[in-house]
Amino acid sequence: MTTTHDTIPFHEAIAAFDPVLGLETHVELGTASKMFCSCPTAFGADANTQVCPVCLGLPGSMPVVNRTAVESTIRMGLALNCQTAEWCRFARKNYFYPDMPKDYQVSQYDEPLCFNGWLDVTVETEDGPRDFRVEIERVHMEEDTGKLTHAGGATGRIHGADYSLVDYNRAGIPLIEIVTKPIAGAGALAPLVARAYVTQLRDLMRALGVSDVRMEEGSLRCDVNVSLARPGEPWGTRSETKNVNSLRSVERAVHSEIERQAAVLLSGGRVIQETRHFHEDTGRSTSGRSKEQAEDYRYFPEPDLVPVAPSREWVEELRGTLPEPPSVKRARLRAEWGISDHDFQTIVNAGALALVEDTVAAGVDQASARKWWTGELTRIANDRGVELESLGVTPAQILRVEELVATGALNDKLARQVFDGIIAGEGGVDEVVAARGLAVVSDDSALLAAIDAALEEQPDVAEKIRGGKVQAAGAIVGSVMKATRGQADAAKVRALLLERLGVQE
Amino acid sequence: MASITREEVEHLARLARLQLSDAEIDHYAGQLDVILQSVARVSEVAEADIPPTSHPIPMVNVFRDDVVRPGLDREAVAAGAPAWEDDRFRVPRILDEE
Amino acid sequence: MAVMEHDLVRQDAATLARAMGDGEVSSEEVTRAHLDRITAVDDRVHAFLHVMPERAIAAARDVDRRRAAGEPLGPLAGVPLALKDVLTMEGEPTTCGSRILEGWRPPYDSTVVERLRSADVIILGKTNMDEFAMGSSTEHSAYGPTRNPWDLDRIPGGSGGGSAAALAAFEAPLAIGTDTGGSIRQPAAVTGTVGVKPTYGGVSRYGLVALASSLDQAGPCARTVLDTALLHAAIAGHDARDSTSISAPVPDVVAAARAADVRGMRIGLVRELSGEGYQAGVSQRFDEAVGILTDLGAEVVEVSCPHFEYALAAYYLILPSEASSNLARFDGMRYGLRAGDDDARSVEEVMALTREAGFGAEVKRRIMIGTYALSSGYYDAYYGSAQKVRTLITRDFEAAFDKVDVLVSPTAPTTAFRIGEKVDDPLAMYLNDIATIPVNLAGNAAMSLPIGLAPEDGLPVGLQIMAPPLADDRLYRAGGALEAALVDRWGHLLIEEAPSL
Ligand SMILES: [Mg+2]
Ligand SMILES: [Zn+2]
């Protein structure tokens, strides 16, 4: 079952082959009720408490389409510059699987609701930002499956499990599926293009309000298709890597699959058409089901649902609800903030654009907002291998930190500790400050006591300063900062020290 | 049109999750062949320009409002289950990942 | 004449309702009389899979109590009914005639049951049927065949043989059937009873265990045209839980049945649904009935529906295709039978063993055909072509209804055949539906009503009336007129000639 291949370095793979990508992204829509029934969609409920005859697939039950899900899909399609079908149907995709209550998925097949669009993405290169147009094949609606838990066996994974348990709360939650046309010509930038594309899809959905895309809850799932071609030759056999569930993983999955396929081809082997499974822990994929005997889904029009035929008036009405297109918005923000392309791209690459924007909107100046999100917070997110927004830090908290810095109650170093505390779940800014005792020591008598103690410990240094060697003051200031665990304002300590010793700068 | 082979019957049975015996496979191979040959005549009149009918009464755009309503009590959900454990449906081991 | 002087079970629903309204008899008495009749005859007829005496009597008492309190009640309040075992009723077994659902009790009511309850109709029990409604004889029930009350060695039609037999055996004055290719009308024809397949979408399918979703339609069954109309009115109408439910008002079928008038009505004889393959006595009674309609003032003309000859082929592709998908959910994971789970076998093996053990031969046969017809490489030739034939048949109907108000034909090509006669010959069995199938493909409405006994075997013959979509009232207008003329001629309903068992 699990086969691992040798890989070759990425740059060698790219030197020999052009990668071609295809991305299929499933996102759970943020509707209140499910796609075809009135059960709630809230995450985290007790197992099998958000189900009804329809989403359990009980005999005799019938689906009814959620209007908001249709509208969300059309709006997403419009935002992706797609055409909206004048008439389309749902289709049944037939295959047996215990997480699928009816043993068919209600989806769309040859008549998607939206089709033929594009999304422009920008990636940072050594020569500056570069734009790519990702062509969109289709945007359609479908329903999610239930959730399996594997029991017994050693790993809790499907392989080796003794049996499985099914919770159908997730079954029937509306999904939007966005499929790209083949993305060719990105070369070494392919992994970054893939990541930038999914990042932008996510931002777009949030901006549209069709989904809040909680990635840590698995509400965005990406299937990554990769094939390689020697320059000027036809595209090779593609593999499909399933369940790539974070922005970082999308990049890594493309990267590692290019290396793997190149190794196979360069050693004279053949890439087989197969489904592969991506592992977050290793950043690599393992072989799954071979697609040599492709599953025959026996699609046919869903007879229990009537066609969807959005009137042009309805489509235009929905178009009127679209927010500013991302490219326009970026140009506007860049201008408003007055920053360089490079600085702007740093924000985008960090996946922090919406967060910075929200933080600026909360009242923080753009430089500080950028500093926190693309600096300290990005570093912490990367260390933990999570997305920025799942750190749990809010724009309002950044504003509060900035307020405390402005009044001198915090300094940058302490502010970092405040964020550590927030991320560790210790509460909001003021709670963390209080609990950790992080206020800057501004009481002169406390500082003077610390200065006196330091001078007593280092009489030789004290003598040097008195003798006019002002640069020696640093050692005493350092001791005081250490003694106050960084909670003092260093400039103030220095001033007090010099005053104490009667020395001029 | 096509004549159904034993292998095709086995393939269909697998697709349809039917564990047929050898005798049944032989039996169905013969019967399906006869039935399919008799229904294949639909293609005699199915000209390219005739639109297919999937729904007998033409209707479009039947939607419901995005409103939550309570579903079933978990006791009612569990009542019909062939096997139930830890508030979930218990199912046999799954061999292959989808 | 007071009904209490007569056998309660031989009264029609309208008469019983009137007697209950007049205080001549209580619903409890009426219900008990039918339950007693079931006890007396159903071991021979086997119309019922499940009888619910306590629940029925409790419901009847409730109706009697509310009637005594002066509450307004519907026109069928307190009248007993037999429900085909393909519709869910909360807490009561629903097997669809299959082992795979043995013991399953749905946690919800079908819309039809909900409407019957709110109309205060008393549900006596669930009736036998071909497994998952696949068949024309009720021999494909996993629980044994139902017998035709006119001749216990013969089939009562199918798939709704249980509902039709319950009416003909005087076990219930009303019944619910479902009609995918004739399963209401063909049983009505061979049991001397009345059955209507409403316009597709006229009666909600919510809670009707699907055979072929684009063809299935639940409908009313009774022994008179008026009773059928009263039941039709009780169950029909828009339902937001069925996306294919029609939101237009239900035509006034009760007024049409009472009007019972065909003067000036243009009636078309479908050329393709007569002649070769139709039993002599069937053709003879049909021709006589057409004569009566002419005498009553209808204008009868012959029309041609040239694509009807492809209907059977299209039907036996569309039905199995949809059925193969609809029946996939019976996999032993969430409800019903699970076979072969020994804690070692895989989910795939257990699903296959469950379906092998739980489904009968006809169900497996159709699942296999449907799986084939939908599979890649064959879809266009089979399923796709069948859907085009469907368009052609709809166009034939539209052209015919440009010229006439209703169409008529014999309901079935033969009278009831003997149990076992065709059970191993699927193609011969499928031919029973030759006249009823076009209506299901096009979605329009149709009725079967009794028009006499075939001279050669003394068994009932049915006449089918077909109306355009949403013109269900025309069925009742014509059927009511024909029934009245026949009752005039015979002095009684045909069903009165059925053996007393
Ligand atoms: Mg999909
Ligand atoms: Zn639900």
Side-chain angles (χ1 to χ4, degrees), chain B residues 10-28:
Chain B
E10 277 178 285
H11 174 69
L12 291 176
R14 214 190 85 76
L15 264 184
R17 296 287 187 279
L18 291 169
Q19 183 68 53
L20 299 185
S21 66
D22 283 353
E24 279 179 301
I25 290 169
D26 289 332
H27 182 67
Y28 284 126

Side-chain angles (χ1 to χ4, degrees), chain C residues 398-410:
Chain C
E398 284 166 358
F401 288 125
D402 276 348
K403 299 192 202 91
V404 298
D405 301 307
V406 295
L407 296 167
V408 293
S409 77

Side-chain angles (χ1 to χ4, degrees), chain A residues 34 37 39 51-52 55:
Chain A
K34 292 187 180 181
C37 66
C39 290
V51 290
C52 72
C55 56

Side-chain angles (χ1 to χ4, degrees), chain B residues 2 8-9 14 16-17 19-20 24 28 31 34 36 41 44 47 50-51 53 56 59 80-81 90 93, chain C residues 214 245 309-310 334-335 338 344 347-348 352 355-356 361 364-365 368 372 378 387-388 391 395 427:
Chain B
E8 275 182 294
V9 173
R14 214 190 85 76
R17 296 287 187 279
Q19 183 68 53
L20 299 185
E24 279 179 301
Y28 284 126
Q31 280 194 336
V34 172
L36 285 164
R41 59 191 305 252
E44 288 171 21
E47 313 280 342
I50 300 165
T53 297
M59 293 165 65
R90 178 175 166 156
R93 68 200 173 86
Chain C
S214 76
S245 168
E309 66 165 300
Y310 297 96
R334 289 159 299 279
Y335 41 77
R338 177 183 290 185
V347 77
E348 183 174 341
R355 291 161 65 77
E356 169 65 5
K364 288 179 201 164
R365 185 151 49 225
M368 301 275 282
Y372 185 82
Y378 298 104
Q387 299 277 45
K388 290 183 171 187
T391 306
R395 288 177 183 171
L427 281 181

Side-chain angles (χ1 to χ4, degrees), chain C residues 23 176 238 341 345:
Chain C
I176 296 290
H238 182 248
D341 185 3
R345 290 197 177 99

Side-chain angles (χ1 to χ4, degrees), chain C residues 4 55 93 102 127 159 175 264 324 340 358 409 420 443 458:
Chain C
M4 282 298 283
R55 198 163 175 177
E102 194 166 7
T127 57
S159 63
S324 71
S409 77

Side-chain angles (χ1 to χ4, degrees), chain A residues 451-452 455 461-467 473 476 495-504:
Chain A
I451 289 166
D452 287 346
L455 290 171
V461 180
E463 213 43 53
K464 278 183 190 164
I465 301 169
R466 284 199 186 93
I476 301 295
L496 282 174
L497 171 66
L498 296 182
E499 191 183 312
R500 186 72 156 184
L501 299 179
V503 182
Q504 297 285 316

Side-chain angles (χ1 to χ4, degrees), chain A residues 68-85:
Chain A
T68 303
V70 176
E71 291 184 339
S72 296
T73 307
I74 294 175
R75 291 176 71 234
M76 187 63 190
L78 292 171
L80 290 171
N81 307 290
C82 287
Q83 289 170 255
T84 309

